[in-house]
Structures are given as C-alpha cells and as structure tokens.
Amino acid sequence: MRKKMISAVLAAVIVLISGCQDKPKNAEGVSDGAIQTEEAVSPVKGAADVSDFKVVANIDSHMDAKFSINALEDFFVLYTAEDLNSKSIAIAVSSQNQFGSLYVFGESEKFYRVHYQLVNEPRTTVLAYVPKNLFTKDSHQQIKSTVDLNTVRSISIKGKDINAKSFEKYGRVSFSDEGLYKQAMAKIPMLTEPNDQVTQNKKEIIINTPSGKHSLEKHSFDDEVETQLSLIGYSAIANKVIIKEVVDMQEYYAFYDINKPKESTINMSGLPRIASDKKRFVALHNANDVGIDFSLWVIHSGNLELDTYVNFTEFKLFAEDSYAWLDDKTIIVKVLHSNSLNTVIQRQETDLKPQFIKIKLQ
C-alpha cells in the first residue's frame, strides 16, 4: 500500500525515461511538476518507478550531508544504482522549484550517492545515484554568463526608493577578470590618517576632544549591549573617527565626529573603501537573504551623505574585503554564486571558485 501511495505522489513531479540513456534527447520534454504529456520523452522499457528506490530518513538539516550539488543542465537523472544502465528517472530544474539541489551522503569514482526529497505531503526522501560529471559542488557553483548581473531587488537614490528591477539606469555591472582585481587591490587608497587625538587600549577607545576626553566602550544606541570595538583610524576628509563594531555577530563601521563623539553619525554595514578622488566611500556587505547590499556615500563639506543604495541579487561577496575601486567610477569585486555562500561558510570549505565583476557608476 505504501509503495502505491508513493508512486502516485511521485507521478505528479517526475518524468520517466530509459535507464540506458545518458540524458533525454530534448530537455523540453522534461516536466516542471506536471504529468508529462509531450512526445519528446516518454516512459519506455527500463524506466524506474518510485518503488525501485530505497526510501530513507528525511533531511532535517543540509549540514547532515557532506555537501550539496547542482545540476549543470536544466534537468537531472536519478539512477537506482551506480550504473548508467540501471533504472532511472529524469527531473526538471526550474526557478520555481528546488529540484536543482541534491544532498551528497557518499561518493565513488564516477557517482554521487544522494538523498533527494520529493515535493509531496508527507515528505518522502529517496536514495539515488547521479553521475559526477553532470553536477557541480555548491562551493564550485559559478554565475552563468547568461545571468543579468544588473538585476536588483531594490534601489534607493538620495533616500528615495526607486521602483526598478535593474541597475542599468544608474550604471552597469559586468564580468571582469582576476588581473584587474589584483591591480585594483594593490593600489587601494589609504582610508585613514594618523591622529594623536585617538588612542585604543584593551578596554576602550579614547577620543580627546576640545571639551575633554571621551571613551567608547559600548554601542551608542544600546548601553546594555556589550560590543567589540576596533579602531580603524581617522579620516581627515570627513573629519571622522572610524571604528569597527561587532554587535551580536553583526559588523558595522561607525563614523564618530572628532569633536562630538558621543554617538556615531554614520554606520556602514560593509568595509568602507574611499575612492582616489577622496570624495566618495563605497561599502559592500552580504545581505542576510538575497545577494549583496551596496552603498555609495558622498562627502560634502565634511559630511557623509548616502547617495545610492542597491540590493544586487545575483552574487555574494567572496570575503568582507574582496572589493576595491578600479578607478573613480568603477568598483571591482571578487564574488561567489549567490546560492553557495552560506553552505560554504558553515562547512568552512576552501576549494572555492570565485569570479570577478565590475560595478561601473554613471
């Protein structure tokens, strides 16, 4: 009875193909969650039924697996054994479902042993095998050249929200290369200058103002929250002391007025990088959910003003400091695929495949 029930559920989300095929001849014949009706791929002798797969425990956390993998094509094939001649099922990959990610619990020379969760109620997870050469590890996943890097979730210009889903009106994002990235990183302008009014010891940061000594020990907006403080330095052009603050695992770069340092006037989520013209700061930060947060700050008469905020969706920062000004209108960034970063960080993987992009401003 259980096998019949699972078979009926699976029929709504899979397509049956011959187990002796390496892949379907026409990917358009693979369904995205409806029963297959086209003739390009149809059930033939050797096709698997869900009852041919072993049902295993559902996946409570992706951290239980060795890693996850992603299909290189717009479909993938689940085999019942480590044999391309074994019975198999083809499943479509779509932006509307999560069929592109499988969790690896073992591997041999040519196959990954995966647990795959079917989209049904109650949840059902099966043990299957997939050829290694048709997948990439999450840490190796790369942004395809066909992806529109200018895609955004939100834009704000001078504090006003803009109804736009593309950055193209305000600049251009495109792929770049490691050579230009290294060139930019090698000539990063000094963010700060020495200032004997500011000192740090193990317990506090001290700012000597004309009206007396001021010490920073806790974050200004909540005296009850203990904060890690690190003195970055002093910016003469902005007349501000820059301090890195870590509050509940969240990092901020706070700018304190050298003469009125009781509370920070500016808090940037990302590491500030100043352009060589000394008129603009840029700060990039991995958003908690989608892509990165990009902010551009302009200096006017010693005051910092937020000029542009953008939430880009198609990439993540490789590291906190993996960006620099290439010229006064262009920022070059070392990035990872937007779907890979969280898993990579949690597993502390190091065999990553970064890419490089340019954000050129108008």
Side-chain angles (χ1 to χ4, degrees):
M1 180 66 183
R2 175 172 174 78
K3 288 185 177 181
K4 290 183 179 179
M5 179 186 71
I6 296 175
S7 298
V9 173
L10 185 61
V13 294
I14 62 177
V15 182
L16 306 180
I17 64 169
S18 171
C20 62
Q21 291 177 296
D22 287 342
K23 64 180 181 179
K25 293 180 180 179
N26 186 347
E28 293 178 357
V30 183
S31 168
D32 275 341
I35 297 175
Q36 177 66 29
T37 57
E38 298 182 31
E39 296 181 0
V41 178
S42 59
V44 293
K45 183 180 179 181
D49 184 87
V50 67
S51 60
D52 294 308
F53 292 90
K54 179 182 178 182
V55 175
V56 294
N58 290 322
I59 302 166
D60 293 325
S61 169
H62 66 270
M63 293 302 294
D64 294 336
K66 285 188 173 182
F67 49 84
S68 63
I69 53 176
N70 301 274
L72 295 174
E73 305 289 344
D74 55 2
F75 62 92
F76 59 86
V77 180
L78 299 176
Y79 291 89
T80 55
E82 295 183 81
D83 184 352
L84 294 180
N85 293 314
S86 65
K87 292 182 178 181
S88 60
I89 293 174
I91 299 181
V93 176
S94 160
S95 59
Q96 281 72 47
N97 60 38
Q98 298 179 353
F99 292 168
S101 182
L102 299 95
Y103 297 103
V104 175
F105 282 79
E107 58 183 303
S108 61
E109 182 181 355
K110 295 183 178 180
F111 285 86
Y112 289 122
R113 175 167 57 86
V114 301
H115 289 189
Y116 179 72
Q117 182 175 301
L118 307 176
V119 181
N120 63 57
E121 191 62 43
R123 290 192 302 165
T124 303
T125 302
V126 298
L127 170 68
Y129 300 87
V130 296
K132 282 184 172 181
N133 63 326
L134 298 178
F135 293 83
T136 181
K137 290 177 61 176
D138 50 4
S139 59
H140 293 174
Q141 193 172 6
Q142 298 220 302
I143 308 166
K144 294 182 179 180
S145 59
T146 54
V147 168
D148 184 359
L149 299 175
N150 292 278
T151 303
V152 302
R153 184 168 64 171
S154 60
I155 297 179
S156 177
I157 306 293
K158 301 185 187 304
K160 181 180 179 181
D161 292 337
I162 306 298
N163 184 19
K165 296 303 178 184
S166 175
F167 184 66
E168 289 186 330
K169 185 177 179 180
Y170 309 97
R172 179 73 179 170
V173 187
S174 59
F175 284 102
S176 187
D177 59 68
E178 187 175 10
L180 283 179
Y181 174 78
K182 288 182 175 180
Q183 176 185 322
M185 294 294 286
K187 61 174 187 178
I188 295 174
M190 288 294 295
L191 177 65
T192 61
E193 304 89 53
N195 186 293
D196 56 13
Q197 290 178 258
V198 186
T199 58
Q200 180 177 14
N201 57 41
K202 292 183 179 180
K203 295 183 178 180
E204 60 187 352
I205 294 172
I206 300 171
I207 302 176
N208 292 301
T209 72
S211 59
K213 184 178 76 171
H214 181 78
S215 65
L216 298 173
E217 296 180 288
K218 297 180 179 181
H219 199 281
S220 58
F221 64 71
D222 189 343
D223 290 337
E224 300 301 318
V225 176
E226 292 289 344
T227 306
Q228 297 177 19
L229 302 177
S230 302
L231 177 63
I232 302 300
Y234 167 72
S235 171
I237 190 71
N239 195 31
K240 299 287 191 297
V241 179
I242 306 173
I243 296 171
K244 180 179 179 179
E245 304 183 352
V246 182
V247 185
D248 293 336
M249 304 297 291
Q250 296 294 317
E251 296 182 355
Y252 302 90
Y253 290 84
F255 286 65
Y256 288 83
D257 191 299
I258 191 69
N259 297 316
K260 302 174 182 178
K262 289 188 177 181
E263 61 181 45
S264 57
T265 55
I266 299 293
N267 290 294
M268 297 184 187
S269 294
L271 174 68
R273 296 285 202 201
I274 193 167
S276 58
D277 63 8
K278 301 291 184 180
K279 295 179 181 179
R280 292 176 293 178
F281 285 95
V282 68
L284 276 62
H285 172 71
N286 281 326
N288 291 332
D289 48 4
V290 177
I292 69 163
D293 292 325
F294 168 99
S295 58
L296 179 69
W297 301 77
V298 178
I299 302 172
H300 287 304
S301 302
N303 294 319
L304 275 169
E305 299 176 1
L306 180 58
D307 182 85
T308 305
Y309 163 80
V310 185
N311 177 207
F312 291 104
T313 62
E314 300 305 313
F315 45 86
K316 289 279 193 181
L317 279 179
F318 178 84
E320 176 194 15
D321 61 349
S322 63
Y323 57 96
W325 290 89
L326 183 62
D327 55 51
D328 289 338
K329 287 190 175 182
T330 310
I331 300 99
I332 190 164
V333 191
K334 187 177 184 179
V335 297
L336 292 173
H337 190 284
S338 59
N339 292 338
S340 65
L341 187 69
N342 291 336
T343 300
V344 167
I345 289 176
Q346 290 171 346
R347 298 184 191 285
Q348 298 182 336
E349 294 188 42
T350 57
D351 60 334
L352 309 179
K353 303 292 184 183
Q355 292 167 276
F356 303 88
I357 63 166
K358 291 187 295 185
I359 303 174
K360 188 172 182 63
L361 308 173
Q362 281 192 346

